[in-house]
Amino acid sequence: MNHAVLSFACFYLLEALFLDSVFASEVKSHSLGVDIISLNGKWQLLNSNSSVSLSAEVPGCVHTALQRQGFISDPYYRFNDLAYRWISLDNWTYTTSFSVPTHVREKEKAVLVFEGVDTISTISLNGVTIGKTDNMFRRYDFEVTGLLKDKENILQVWIMSAVTYASQKSNAHTEYRVPPDCPPPVQKGECHVNFIRKAQSSFSWDWGPSFPTLGIWKGVQLEVFNTLRVLSFTTVPKYDSAHSSWNVDVELFLDVVVASKGLVLLSIPLLHSEEFQLSLSPGQSRKSFVFQVNQSVSLWWPFGHGEQPLYDLKMDMNLEGGETFNAQRKVAFRTVELIQEPIPSSPGLSFYFRINGKPIFLKGSNWIPVHAFQDQVTTDMITILLQSAQKANMNALRVWGGGVYEQGIFYSLCDMYGIMIWQDFMFACALYPTEKDFIQTVREEVTQQVRRLKSHPSVVIWSGNNENEAAIATDWFNITVAERPLYVKDYVKLYVENIRDIVLQEDSTRPFLVSSPTNGVESEKEGWVAQDPYDPHYGDTHYYSYYKDCWDWTAFPRTRFASEYGFQSWPSLSTLSKVSVSSDWDFSSNFSSHRQHHEDGNQQMLKQAELHYILPNSTDPVQKYRDTIYITQVMQAQCVKIQTEFYRRSRSDIVEGKGHTMGTLYWQLNDIWQGPSWSSVEFGGKWKMLHYWATDFYAPILSMGVEDKGDLLMYAVSDSHSEQHNVKAKVKLYSWSSFDAVCSFESNVTTIKAGGSTLVFQKPISALLTQCGNCTRRSCIVTFHLSSPEGQMISPHNHIFLSSPRHAEGLQKPNITFTVKDAGIMQNFVVTLYCSFPAVYVWLDVDDIPGDFNVNGFLMLSKNSSVTFGAWRPTTAEEITANLHITSLRDVY
Ligand code: BMA
């Protein structure tokens, strides 16, 4: 096997934008430098009894290799997750061979670096065991000095079944149980995932399959050097309020062989540069420098609040012996505070983020792993998802604790896009062991991850785990009162005494929360496990309710911060058809129940939908299936819209002591496979109706309507910090049977609060309908938007139903037809729609043509209207015409 020898001598260029922690690119020849031999590429792969032998790509995993070599078909196809269970129950060996030129081998120190092994492995070089791994979230460096040969070095990585390992670890834990043992049967997953430091969702989740992967999921390289190598380079800006200036805390982590002296030059071109003395003794060394910028800088702001300027910070290290090391990182200047302080007339404490001293409402969603086989996640997939988030006016995402710490490019793009990251540590929905070896590997994981990610301005908060405080507090696992202190003690040991402790040492610039949901400082007061971590008076909450009518906003907790809430829907037929056959396309098929990993999920969707819509009843089974998918997406979009608008409206309200909501992160942004879930974007990147609607309900200035005790209220919600807008609410009532507005109203000019919500219109519904003549709750719909006094529109159009659409009187089949024209710029196409009657939830679906519409799932109250489709790859008007399906509510029954 051939591996390229990169003679990396003495010259490092760290391009943090695309290569986080990976030193790469420029090569300068120097006899005393660091040589890097990449061991990525083709390896040999063998199962335990040698019956399966194939070549496999590194980075990669066993499933991907088997699929690429034709041993198995698509693991996502139909029931293949069950059929391919054997892969994860077997043990596998990866082998490669490589040569090392004599001049390289003769250097002082050689280290084999594994950026990521999934998960339990024993590694040997030329027959000698050099190390073991037990944590996929860690990088491992194994010294191999003296073990290398010129030719035919044999490197072997034996990987044990993660399922077997987790079960053995759990069996060995005899003193007390560490629940849960297994996931619920509906998830068709594996047991005891909490005993292994691996993506917790890889043993199945309520939105994803069980693929307990095995592999070498990140790069492998040999690093050989005489003097030193750089392990990591971090840059963390800090605001010095006493001097009103910025410092950047720069740290270098070095592996030093020979005592050396030299200079480190730090510079931000055109801004500032500074030189520091360096003196190093052998061993692992951490060098810290305070780089005082002393200049005015442009601040980094979350999306929607300003620009995201990123500066290049360069590091040149020159040793007395003549060696040079260079590195470069993007830095951005911003402060972040999490404010938990008393609020007048409300018991409890506030919970909101202040960026650069300004309160910011977090609008976004939750991020889960992009693929069960992480080696198949491409930069394109991440880019499309993050661009989709930004297009939907999101400024924040939570990297949820049951998945993986994302790749560097994810955080670099968030830095560029202004998307704030709430970063969980990877623990979710379980209790965890706290034996010495477990704690030890977690400590290393946390240290490495904080150092890897803390230079990114997008990361605004660390959080210890997902829902584990709640799991203890609200007794998910039937723990007796007598046993409870034991579990609380373990909880505190893991998340407070270890994880929190390390994070506070490594990064003093960001808040740390122990869990989500949590009561924050109140949980701390109560011994880190609050009596009710869902208390709306404190911290963040997660709230789900599937059977309660989601149109009833009074049922939602008026929380300080909604970090999870949501409803399931099914992805489109074009997405599902890649992993199914036509006999599966029925809501009661085996496929439909197999793919549903959430108990009663399919029922819950239909029951919730049925409250307001007539369920599809086409006699054509495929049409009925398509329509049912559609109705689940309508339900999801409408429910999440109502809940999100309620939270945004609550930002300046205190009602019965509750309110001041300052964040909405709905569950969940993306999907791991083609199945039903809470996501707003399907596997593959296609937007569900919810995602289109998010663009509006996350608009910087929102107008929203609500019915309260018989009155119709309209609020203007503004994210702006200072700009006070004078607005009028423009309200129109339309009857379902005509294109002409039945009547219209206009509010007086009102000044809307910056950073708050303002009531702009109020009228008893009975008066509204009487004044409107021919309208009843069932025959009319209310539309509205905000305009400036001069008539300029300043919020998206919105509407509110006065009765369920299932009772709509006069709503007829709209007979929508269309034409498509190439707009002539940037793959944009104009779809002109014609209808005979008003239509609601008009949905355009172009199957597999990737792209997004400027609006979708909309109300069509005029005979014709135009929509733009922006394709993400070259296409034609003909292709769009051939693939376009248009559905509206009245078309499905
Ligand atoms: C939350 C999440 C996930 C889960 C989701 C939907 O509690 O943290 O564990 O997927 O609910 O059930």
Side-chain angles (χ1 to χ4, degrees):
M1 266 152 275
N2 285 325
H3 296 288
V5 178
L6 289 182
S7 185
F8 227 86
C10 300
F11 189 89
Y12 276 106
L13 178 79
L14 186 142
E15 178 50 68
L17 184 60
F18 286 103
L19 302 160
D20 203 53
S21 89
V22 179
F23 296 112
S25 69
E26 191 80 25
V27 180
K28 255 194 199 171
S29 206
H30 194 290
S31 59
L32 293 175
V34 180
D35 287 272
I36 293 189
I37 299 179
S38 167
L39 302 179
N40 295 342
K42 287 258 176 292
W43 290 44
Q44 272 305 310
L45 179 59
L46 205 61
N47 71 335
S48 55
N49 67 6
S50 306
S51 58
V52 186
S53 166
L54 65 159
S55 67
E57 202 67 37
V58 168
C61 74
V62 174
H63 287 82
T64 302
L66 289 169
Q67 187 187 356
R68 298 238 162 105
Q69 302 279 311
F71 284 77
I72 60 171
S73 57
D74 179 4
Y76 282 3
Y77 186 68
R78 300 193 78 206
F79 307 90
N80 278 352
D81 51 325
L82 299 185
Y84 298 151
R85 191 171 169 239
W86 62 271
I87 298 166
S88 308
L89 300 181
D90 207 344
N91 306 320
W92 297 81
T93 307
Y94 279 83
T95 309
T96 190
S97 67
F98 59 95
S99 52
V100 184
T102 317
H103 74 276
V104 174
R105 211 164 53 80
E106 280 167 354
K107 291 195 170 180
E108 288 295 320
K109 189 168 178 181
V111 182
L112 261 173
V113 179
F114 286 83
E115 296 281 351
V117 179
D118 179 12
T119 294
I120 307 302
S121 80
T122 303
I123 302 172
S124 66
L125 178 66
N126 298 328
V128 178
T129 300
I130 54 166
K132 290 172 183 272
T133 69
D134 64 3
N135 187 333
M136 82 180 276
F137 306 123
R138 276 176 62 176
R139 148 186 169 149
Y140 287 86
D141 288 27
F142 300 116
E143 185 166 354
V144 293
T145 317
L147 288 179
L148 294 166
K149 300 191 286 188
D150 271 3
K151 297 215 162 62
E152 278 291 300
N153 287 282
I154 308 287
L155 178 61
Q156 241 177 20
V157 181
W158 177 82
I159 305 182
M160 180 187 188
S161 158
V163 178
T164 313
Y165 174 86
S167 144
Q168 284 178 2
K169 278 290 192 188
S170 155
N171 285 340
H173 197 284
T174 47
E175 271 175 66
Y176 56 95
R177 65 192 183 100
V178 186
D181 289 338
C182 299
V186 66
Q187 284 180 207
K188 295 159 277 267
E190 303 294 349
C191 304
H192 307 299
V193 71
N194 46 348
F195 278 89
I196 180 170
R197 293 309 299 141
K198 177 170 171 62
Q200 300 289 282
S201 62
S202 66
F203 278 36
S204 83
W205 213 260
D206 61 2
W207 35 254
S210 171
F211 284 115
T213 45
L214 314 95
I216 302 173
W217 74 301
K218 298 203 170 181
V220 184
Q221 62 192 34
L222 179 69
E223 299 185 359
V224 191
F225 54 102
N226 277 329
T227 316
L228 62 84
R229 66 185 175 128
V230 180
L231 296 170
S232 82
F233 163 55
T234 66
T235 54
V236 179
K238 255 190 200 165
Y239 188 64
D240 174 355
S241 47
H243 300 95
S244 306
S245 66
W246 286 91
N247 297 330
V248 184
D249 284 355
V250 176
E251 283 187 326
L252 282 170
F253 297 87
L254 306 158
D255 180 2
V256 184
V257 179
V258 179
S260 333
K261 282 196 163 54
L263 290 175
V264 170
L265 177 70
L266 299 176
S267 64
I268 298 180
L270 303 179
L271 206 63
H272 182 61
S273 63
E274 217 173 324
E275 208 164 54
F276 301 84
Q277 301 281 343
L278 185 72
S279 168
L280 300 164
S281 16
Q284 298 250 330
S285 174
R286 174 184 196 154
K287 291 286 156 193
S288 308
F289 313 95
V290 179
F291 178 66
Q292 296 176 313
V293 176
N294 286 335
Q295 295 277 334
S296 72
V297 295
S298 302
L299 296 178
W300 183 97
W301 288 96
F303 176 64
H305 294 270
E307 304 286 304
Q308 293 78 41
L310 301 171
Y311 293 83
D312 288 316
L313 194 154
K314 294 187 172 150
M315 186 278 297
D316 295 287
M317 182 164 82
N318 300 304
L319 299 185
E320 280 176 359
E323 284 182 71
T324 315
F325 295 81
N326 299 341
Q328 185 172 319
R329 263 205 175 277
K330 298 278 178 202
V331 295
F333 300 92
R334 61 111 188 84
T335 59
V336 53
E337 299 159 275
L338 176 63
I339 309 297
Q340 299 179 74
E341 62 188 19
I343 303 176
S345 66
S346 173
L349 297 172
S350 68
F351 186 91
Y352 70 91
F353 288 86
R354 231 190 240 152
I355 305 288
N356 302 328
K358 304 261 192 227
I360 304 273
F361 191 106
L362 268 64
K363 300 182 296 190
S365 183
N366 284 269
W367 177 275
I368 64 156
V370 176
H371 206 296
F373 309 116
Q374 279 291 310
D375 53 288
Q376 294 183 31
V377 178
T378 61
T379 298
D380 273 2
M381 291 176 182
I382 293 177
T383 308
I384 283 180
L385 284 167
L386 292 176
Q387 284 180 346
S388 296
Q390 201 205 41
K391 281 185 188 177
N393 284 316
M394 294 186 182
N395 62 20
L397 291 171
R398 168 169 171 249
V399 176
W400 166 77
V404 295
Y405 305 95
E406 271 305 332
Q407 14 181 310
I409 184 70
F410 170 87
Y411 300 95
S412 298
L413 289 172
C414 290
D415 295 344
M416 279 170 61
Y417 296 157
I419 296 177
M420 293 175 279
I421 296 302
W422 173 312
Q423 179 67 49
D424 279 2
F425 288 92
M426 296 299 133
F427 302 85
C429 302
L431 305 184
Y432 286 86
T434 56
E435 273 60 57
K436 212 170 149 207
D437 57 341
F438 190 85
I439 292 282
Q440 206 37 55
T441 199
V442 168
R443 287 188 66 87
E444 188 57 36
E445 163 192 335
V446 171
T447 308
Q448 287 187 10
Q449 291 297 341
V450 175
R451 287 182 189 167
R452 187 172 78 90
L453 304 180
K454 70 179 178 180
S455 306
H456 290 280
S458 52
V459 177
V460 296
I461 185 167
W462 306 106
S463 174
N465 65 69
N466 174 71
E467 299 184 344
N468 299 349
E469 180 183 344
I472 298 179
T474 59
D475 196 15
W476 292 7
F477 306 124
N478 302 318
I479 288 166
T480 62
V481 177
E483 286 173 319
R484 205 183 129 127
L486 177 75
Y487 290 98
V488 173
K489 191 166 161 252
D490 274 359
Y491 179 88
V492 172
K493 182 174 176 185
L494 180 59
Y495 304 110
V496 181
E497 291 162 10
N498 283 284
I499 298 179
R500 179 173 179 271
D501 195 55
I502 294 170
V503 177
L504 297 186
Q505 274 176 42
E506 292 289 332
D507 179 21
S508 61
T509 66
R510 292 174 178 85
F512 177 88
L513 278 181
V514 179
S515 188
S516 172
T518 182
N519 292 347
V521 294
E522 174 59 23
S523 288
E524 179 174 352
K525 258 198 213 154
E526 294 178 37
W528 304 102
V529 177
Q531 220 186 353
D532 175 18
Y534 298 96
D535 187 338
H537 300 95
Y538 295 98
D540 64 328
T541 60
H542 296 183
Y543 176 80
Y544 295 94
S545 174
Y546 305 111
Y547 288 114
K548 265 190 226 160
D549 180 359
C550 78
W551 288 36
D552 176 14
W553 56 268
T554 61
F556 302 133
R558 212 183 269 270
T559 170
R560 306 286 191 220
F561 194 106
S563 46
E564 277 191 27
Y565 57 98
F567 293 83
Q568 278 202 335
S569 70
W570 275 80
S572 62
L573 185 56
S574 64
T575 294
L576 287 169
S577 64
K578 295 189 184 62
V579 290
S580 58
V581 293
S582 58
S583 60
D584 297 328
W585 300 345
D586 182 314
F587 226 57
S588 52
S589 69
N590 286 344
F591 174 79
S592 293
S593 48
H594 177 73
R595 226 60 189 186
Q596 175 56 269
H597 280 203
H598 170 65
E599 194 71 54
D600 294 332
N602 290 345
Q603 269 314 302
Q604 288 164 352
M605 279 183 259
L606 295 184
K607 287 269 170 238
Q608 182 63 243
E610 214 176 8
L611 294 173
H612 301 288
Y613 315 112
I614 295 172
L615 295 185
N617 60 7
S618 171
T619 47
D620 170 358
V622 175
Q623 190 57 46
K624 186 173 174 190
Y625 187 65
R626 250 187 200 280
D627 293 345
T628 307
I629 291 170
Y630 163 84
I631 209 79
T632 67
Q633 290 201 17
V634 167
M635 176 278 290
Q636 180 197 33
Q638 184 72 51
C639 287
V640 177
K641 169 189 195 255
I642 292 172
Q643 199 167 352
T644 308
E645 288 184 344
F646 166 74
Y647 291 134
R648 288 197 68 189
R649 159 164 74 100
S650 301
R651 78 173 278 173
S652 41
D653 280 1
I654 292 290
V655 177
E656 292 164 359
K658 288 175 251 167
H660 268 226
T661 308
M662 282 300 285
T664 48
L665 307 175
Y666 66 75
W667 186 264
Q668 69 204 62
L669 178 75
N670 56 319
D671 261 342
I672 198 166
W673 74 339
Q674 310 88 342
S677 85
W678 295 255
S679 78
S680 61
V681 178
E682 301 179 2
F683 181 77
K686 187 167 172 177
W687 292 15
K688 290 178 174 175
M689 196 178 294
L690 171 59
H691 205 79
Y692 286 100
W693 285 31
T695 312
D696 284 348
F697 64 62
Y698 278 151
I701 296 181
L702 167 76
S703 61
M704 51 117 7
V706 69
E707 185 178 337
D708 192 10
K709 301 183 196 87
D711 278 6
L712 181 66
L713 310 180
M714 265 158 216
Y715 289 86
V717 183
S718 165
D719 283 344
S720 162
H721 296 288
S722 53
E723 216 181 330
Q724 296 193 332
H725 294 271
N726 290 329
V727 302
K728 286 192 215 171
K730 294 209 164 181
V731 184
K732 280 186 184 173
L733 272 75
Y734 283 87
S735 124
W736 289 125
S737 51
S738 150
F739 289 115
D740 299 319
V742 187
C743 60
S744 52
F745 301 87
E746 213 174 85
S747 71
N748 295 331
V749 175
T750 314
T751 305
I752 59 171
K753 275 184 258 180
S757 79
T758 310
L759 183 67
V760 290
F761 181 88
Q762 177 164 17
K763 210 174 182 55
I765 290 176
S766 53
L768 193 78
L769 294 172
T770 320
Q771 281 179 27
C772 211
N774 284 331
C775 269
T776 67
R777 276 182 175 270
R778 292 186 171 195
S779 67
C780 289
I781 181 163
V782 182
T783 70
F784 51 89
H785 69 272
L786 301 173
S787 88
S788 67
E790 298 75 38
Q792 199 192 352
M793 198 166 133
I794 62 167
S795 78
H797 283 290
N798 206 341
H799 57 262
I800 179 167
F801 297 95
L802 299 177
S803 79
S804 296
R806 65 171 298 129
H807 300 129
E809 282 169 9
L811 187 65
Q812 298 170 59
K813 290 208 192 276
N815 309 318
I816 301 175
T817 56
F818 66 92
T819 56
V820 182
K821 259 204 197 130
D822 193 332
I825 40 155
M826 311 207 15
Q827 288 300 315
N828 276 346
F829 297 84
V830 178
V831 183
T832 308
L833 303 167
Y834 311 90
C835 63
S836 334
F837 297 100
V840 59
Y841 302 121
V842 177
W843 180 242
L844 281 65
D845 179 348
V846 281
D847 281 347
D848 279 334
I849 307 173
D852 58 324
F853 292 93
N854 68 327
V855 49
N856 210 349
F858 50 90
L859 199 58
M860 191 166 166
L861 295 174
S862 54
K863 268 197 175 135
N864 42 52
S865 71
S866 292
V867 168
T868 308
F869 178 70
W872 301 343
R873 64 141 164 89
T875 181
T876 59
E878 292 70 42
E879 193 192 6
I880 293 171
T881 306
N883 286 279
L884 182 59
H885 304 263
I886 300 178
T887 313
S888 80
L889 186 66
R890 193 57 192 83
D891 297 320
V892 308
Y893 62 91

